[in-house]
Amino acid sequence: MKCAVIVFPGSNCDMDMYNAIEDCMDGVTVNYIWHSDSGLEEYDAIFLPGGFSYGDYLRSGAIARFAPVMAEVVEAAEKGKLVMGVCNGFQILLEAGLLPGAMRRNEGLKFSCKYTPLTVENNHTPFTNQYELGEEISIPIAHGEGNYYCDEETLKNLRENRQIVFRYLHNPNGSIDNIAGITNKKGNVLGMMPHPERAVHTLLGSEDGKGMFHSIIRYWRGD
Amino acid sequence: MYKAMIYITLKQSVLDPQGNAVKHALFSLGFDEVDEVRIGKYMEVTLEAESRKMAEERVKEMCEKLLANTVIEDYRFDLMEG
């Protein structure tokens, strides 16, 4: 399996993501792909890391969405390849229209950086098959614009299609319906604000994020 | 040459946390007649266009494609010639 970590100007969780993939996914090749590069066809899974792409100018993710590599990310997503966006990566997926909705400033207006309990709302996705349904996991957040919003119609669709994958136990940012992570309708694109790549060693305070990387590899192997 | 003065605001149905914080600050300063504060963005874009109509169309496209996120934001603009 080949994994790509996309690096935008301003990405700062790219190395964390790279290391988490390398540590948690045995036998996997992982490479950085620069935002202006191409050649994603050879990759099986694409990771959009956290950070502040293009300085979050205009809106988080708004400019990154038009980076040259994004056309290939959209194409890969449409082909059914796995695409996972964390934090700023989630914001980019929303701006690109690969996932529905938009991000607002946190309700409390504060940048929030702490371990947050989440519940796994759907364990039948390529990203969560190693968790129990309803399992409580501890994953850190670090964001100022993680207040997920969508209209009523979209929310209804998200619920009906089981696209809500993670919910906050104690909503830290005002997200609608406590949403922390969603997939697209097909389930091959995941966006989440909490950082699983920062929770892969007990030394870091939690290893609950490991399950996501293990799930991806298990899905890919078709076990 | 045209100058577009573009105003982007959160849709009325979308909670504006910054606006609320500023409203409370105004209250504490004694401006208790304030009913609501909405915070948005203001942008000036100068552009070349053959006609006013063309300029309007281009600015509209810019707003729809990049400048505003129409899931949560509304936009309007004034156009000035010269």
Side-chain angles (χ1 to χ4, degrees):
Chain A
M1 183 181 194
K2 287 190 81 172
C3 297
V5 176
I6 311 287
V7 185
F8 298 96
S11 293
N12 64 11
C13 301
D14 44 340
M15 288 177 80
D16 289 0
M17 188 63 91
Y18 185 102
N19 290 330
I21 293 167
E22 208 171 41
D23 290 356
C24 304
M25 296 165 73
D26 284 342
V28 159
T29 312
V30 52
N31 287 317
Y32 292 116
I33 299 289
W34 185 235
H35 67 111
S36 56
D37 285 350
S38 55
L40 281 182
E41 306 86 47
E42 58 181 296
Y43 292 95
D44 307 299
I46 298 161
F47 295 81
L48 274 61
F52 297 86
S53 57
Y54 300 87
D56 272 357
Y57 292 158
L58 192 63
R59 294 181 308 277
S60 311
I63 299 178
R65 173 245 183 288
F66 292 101
V69 76
M70 281 305 292
E72 285 196 47
V73 174
V74 172
E75 201 182 313
E78 280 165 1
K79 276 188 192 154
K81 286 188 182 180
L82 298 185
V83 177
M84 174 168 164
V86 168
C87 200
N88 191 232
F90 185 13
Q91 293 161 338
I92 296 168
L93 292 174
L94 293 173
E95 286 285 340
L98 285 174
L99 294 172
M103 284 296 171
R104 303 170 294 183
R105 292 280 299 274
N106 289 353
E107 201 168 57
L109 293 177
K110 285 183 186 142
F111 188 96
S112 204
C113 185
K114 60 184 177 190
Y115 271 91
T116 314
L118 309 177
T119 50
V120 178
E121 301 288 323
N122 183 352
N123 65 343
H124 283 88
T125 79
F127 309 93
T128 54
N129 58 60
Q130 292 294 289
Y131 295 107
E132 300 290 325
L133 185 65
E135 187 176 338
E136 191 182 315
I137 57 175
S138 176
I139 307 279
I141 55 163
H143 59 245
E145 282 185 41
N147 184 349
Y148 179 77
Y149 174 83
C150 63
D151 60 29
E152 280 300 320
E153 180 70 24
T154 309
L155 185 60
K156 193 170 156 264
N157 290 336
L158 288 176
R159 284 181 185 146
E160 281 175 5
N161 300 325
R162 302 202 61 204
Q163 288 171 252
I164 301 168
V165 176
F166 298 111
R167 279 199 174 94
Y168 298 112
L169 227 63
H170 316 293
N171 197 337
N173 50 33
S175 288
I176 199 161
D177 206 19
N178 294 341
I179 287 174
I182 55 171
T183 63
N184 62 346
K185 205 171 173 183
K186 272 201 309 202
N188 65 308
V189 178
L190 169 78
M192 62 187 295
M193 285 314 289
H195 288 266
E197 80 283 7
R198 291 189 188 175
V200 292
H201 291 292
T202 43
L203 192 66
L204 298 172
S206 165
E207 52 178 14
D208 292 352
K210 268 185 176 172
M212 247 161 279
F213 299 97
H214 292 161
S215 295
I216 291 170
I217 196 121
R218 186 182 162 197
Y219 172 82
W220 189 75
R221 286 185 180 144
D223 294 350
Chain B
M1 187 73 90
Y2 292 89
K3 183 161 101 174
M5 288 151 289
I6 305 167
Y7 305 88
I8 294 169
T9 46
L10 282 170
K11 283 183 176 169
Q12 206 55 41
S13 57
V14 176
L15 174 82
D16 179 357
Q18 285 185 88
N20 280 349
V22 172
K23 183 176 103 171
H24 290 306
L26 285 171
F27 273 3
S28 62
L29 288 172
F31 297 104
D32 41 19
E33 69 273 37
V34 172
D35 181 46
E36 196 182 15
V37 179
R38 308 285 292 175
I39 292 183
K41 291 176 197 154
Y42 171 67
M43 294 169 210
E44 288 183 355
V45 175
T46 52
L47 67 154
E48 295 279 5
E50 282 171 19
S51 65
R52 193 180 178 82
K53 191 166 174 290
M54 284 287 279
E56 269 177 16
E57 271 175 29
R58 295 293 284 171
V59 174
K60 187 168 182 288
E61 262 182 67
M62 291 176 207
C63 289
E64 296 273 340
K65 202 168 179 189
L66 176 68
L67 302 181
N69 181 339
T70 52
V71 176
I72 49 171
E73 292 170 331
D74 287 326
Y75 67 89
R76 66 183 173 85
F77 59 87
D78 300 322
L79 210 56
M80 210 168 72
E81 214 165 326

